Amino acid sequence: MTLTLVHDRLRAAFWRWGWLLPVVLPLATLAGRGLFNVLSSVYALWGLLSLWGTPNVSVRSERPVALLYGALLATWLLSLPGAVDPERGLRLWLLVFAQSLVVLLLPLALRNSARAAEQCFKALALTASLVLGALYLMLFYQQSGMSGEPFDPLTQMREDSLPFLLPFLLGGLWWHGGRRRGVWMVLAVLAMLAYAALAEGRAALLGLVVGLAVFGWAVLNWRWYLILLAALLALAVGIAINSGPFRKAEMDAAHPLDAFTAGRTMIWRQALAQPPARPWRGVGMGNVVHVTGVLHFELGGLTHQVKHLHNVLLDAWYETGLLGVAALLALIGTVFGRLAGRWRHLSDLDRQRAGVLLAAALALLAAGSLSFSYTGRQFACYFFSCLGGLSYYGRRATWPAAACTGPDKR
């Protein structure tokens, strides 16, 4: 078998089903970070090989997003020369590149077939249900003592993917849930809220509330007072299930806000008071840990240290500078702006699907304002997946089906 024939078969397989590989990544996280990184790297390599030589497919068809994405990668790479640990930054850059490439590959795959979007949303709804079920099974196993380790919700529970998955699960139930879809949707929301509350994941809880609110507006066409009521009820349910994380202000009476945010506001103030020495390029990807006096803080008489600033935009600014964060905001703003311009022209079904993606994206941004970094999988993979889908629905023209069909597809 010649290399050309192998390449043709790999390319055809990617556009037929391989492009759906990111759908299983939330499940892969349950098995460990290593499997997630391997699968995302395989997806990126497979996708790049499939782009090469496929008839009628080019990233030029997504030119605005492709150019901004290229600028984003360039500015982030530019932060590495002169950094304290450029090798660490380069490894992180390669990993982020592999995970975020979905922003270009997903729109092209959705153009491949009229059924691609339906397959994608069904698969994500199934993944969401499987992840939720697996999380509760793991919780039962951990709490029962069968694991042989003391139960610690902060380290053993994994709630970080729930804000991303909730809109897709609700969308699947809304479209395919039958007569009792409303009941199933309420139960799904309660299950995710309960898990996030038990995990003491206040950032995830905020993301779930935002995702629910945006889903109500964009998919269910709720009025503003129903959206507000649903958001307040969801927040109240989360607090009622586990109010402990919301009483952290009592840990340090002298600094109640810092205690309530678990030191987040303290490290943000320290970062703003001690900006990166290179304002345009930052300190380098993954290099904020080497900056003295930013990630250390004292709270409740104890000294704490974190690995990053726990805010997507602040992390991007400090590590990649004004150029890096500007490129990131430009990419996000362009995708959202194109969608806003096309919103009224979308069909009802496409508007609902775009609404699901928008709800997931804004839920991740809300959670990322208090939790993960711009290099975390929640942002580099999940959020960029949402951007890719939103880019597809924000396109200016209706592209022909099978535009990127492999040469051996009949």
Side-chain angles (χ1 to χ4, degrees):
M1 185 179 295
T2 65
L3 289 178
T4 301
L5 182 58
V6 171
H7 179 231
D8 288 345
R9 291 188 176 182
L10 286 174
R11 186 176 57 203
F14 180 83
W15 296 120
R16 189 180 307 117
W17 58 268
W19 65 275
L20 282 169
L21 184 59
V23 170
V24 305
L25 291 179
L27 273 172
T29 60
L30 303 181
R33 183 179 302 177
L35 180 60
F36 182 95
N37 292 341
V38 168
L39 290 179
S40 59
S41 299
V42 168
Y43 168 77
L45 180 60
W46 193 2
L48 288 174
L49 289 174
S50 300
L51 282 176
W52 174 47
T54 302
N56 302 322
V57 60
S58 170
V59 295
R60 288 181 297 177
S61 60
E62 301 291 335
R63 182 172 295 175
V65 174
L67 289 176
L68 288 171
Y69 176 62
L72 177 70
L73 293 175
T75 56
W76 288 2
L77 187 61
L78 188 63
S79 71
L80 300 182
V84 175
D85 189 354
E87 292 184 4
R88 168 186 168 87
L90 182 58
R91 290 194 300 268
L92 191 58
W93 184 89
L94 290 172
L95 191 60
V96 169
F97 169 63
Q99 295 176 4
S100 62
L101 189 61
V102 65
V103 74
L104 295 183
L105 295 176
L106 182 59
L108 298 176
L110 290 176
R111 288 172 46 198
N112 184 48
S113 167
R115 296 185 62 250
E118 181 181 2
Q119 292 174 336
C120 182
F121 281 89
K122 281 185 175 180
L124 279 168
L126 176 61
T127 296
S129 61
L130 291 176
V131 168
L132 185 60
L135 287 176
Y136 271 101
L137 287 175
M138 292 170 62
L139 177 61
F140 172 77
Y141 175 74
Q142 293 157 355
Q143 285 189 322
S144 66
M146 290 186 292
S147 63
E149 300 178 359
F151 176 65
D152 184 1
L154 294 177
T155 59
Q156 293 178 334
M157 297 184 70
R158 304 175 182 179
E159 77 285 357
D160 51 8
S161 65
L162 295 184
F164 167 67
L165 294 173
L166 176 62
F168 294 101
L169 180 55
L170 293 180
L173 293 172
W174 176 252
W175 295 316
H176 310 290
R179 295 181 180 179
R180 296 186 178 181
R181 61 184 181 182
V183 175
W184 291 115
M185 291 169 71
V186 170
L187 291 176
V189 171
L190 290 176
M192 288 200 176
L193 289 173
Y195 189 90
L198 292 174
E200 301 185 16
R202 292 181 297 175
L205 183 61
L206 175 62
L208 290 171
V209 171
V210 171
L212 177 61
V214 177
F215 184 89
W217 167 75
V219 180
L220 303 181
N221 294 317
W222 282 352
R223 295 186 179 274
W224 67 268
Y225 56 85
L226 289 177
I227 296 172
L228 180 60
L229 179 61
L232 292 176
L233 283 176
L235 184 60
V237 168
I239 296 175
I241 292 174
N242 186 6
S243 61
F246 295 90
R247 297 199 303 266
K248 289 190 175 183
E250 304 170 359
M251 294 172 54
D252 193 331
H255 306 90
L257 179 59
D258 294 332
F260 180 76
T261 61
R264 303 288 196 272
T265 50
M266 189 174 292
I267 60 175
W268 296 343
R269 289 198 306 270
Q270 292 173 172
L272 293 174
Q274 186 182 343
R278 302 182 304 179
W280 291 103
R281 294 193 294 144
V283 300
M285 291 185 69
N287 276 251
V288 69
V289 294
H290 299 294
V291 181
T292 305
V294 173
L295 301 181
H296 294 78
F297 62 94
E298 291 187 4
L299 197 62
L302 300 175
T303 301
H304 305 269
Q305 180 180 2
V306 292
K307 296 181 179 179
H308 55 85
L309 295 174
H310 289 272
N311 181 282
V312 167
L313 294 181
L314 283 179
D315 273 309
W317 161 66
Y318 210 92
E319 293 192 345
T320 65
L322 295 174
L323 291 176
V325 74
L328 176 60
L329 290 174
L331 176 60
I332 296 173
T334 298
V335 172
F336 283 12
R338 293 176 71 192
L339 177 67
R342 289 287 302 166
W343 186 261
R344 294 184 178 181
H345 303 284
L346 295 174
S347 66
D348 290 341
L349 181 57
D350 282 350
R351 191 182 301 116
Q352 289 181 354
R353 288 172 174 170
V356 169
L357 289 165
L358 184 63
L362 294 180
L364 287 170
L365 284 179
S369 66
L370 297 172
S371 180
F372 46 80
S373 171
Y374 71 105
T375 60
R377 63 177 178 271
Q378 300 92 336
F379 193 78
C381 183
Y382 301 159
F383 181 75
F384 274 75
S385 297
C386 295
L387 286 185
L390 292 174
S391 175
Y392 168 77
Y393 287 107
R395 68 202 189 283
R396 292 188 177 182
T398 301
W399 298 94
C404 45
T405 300
D408 63 340
K409 184 174 180 179
R410 298 294 183 263

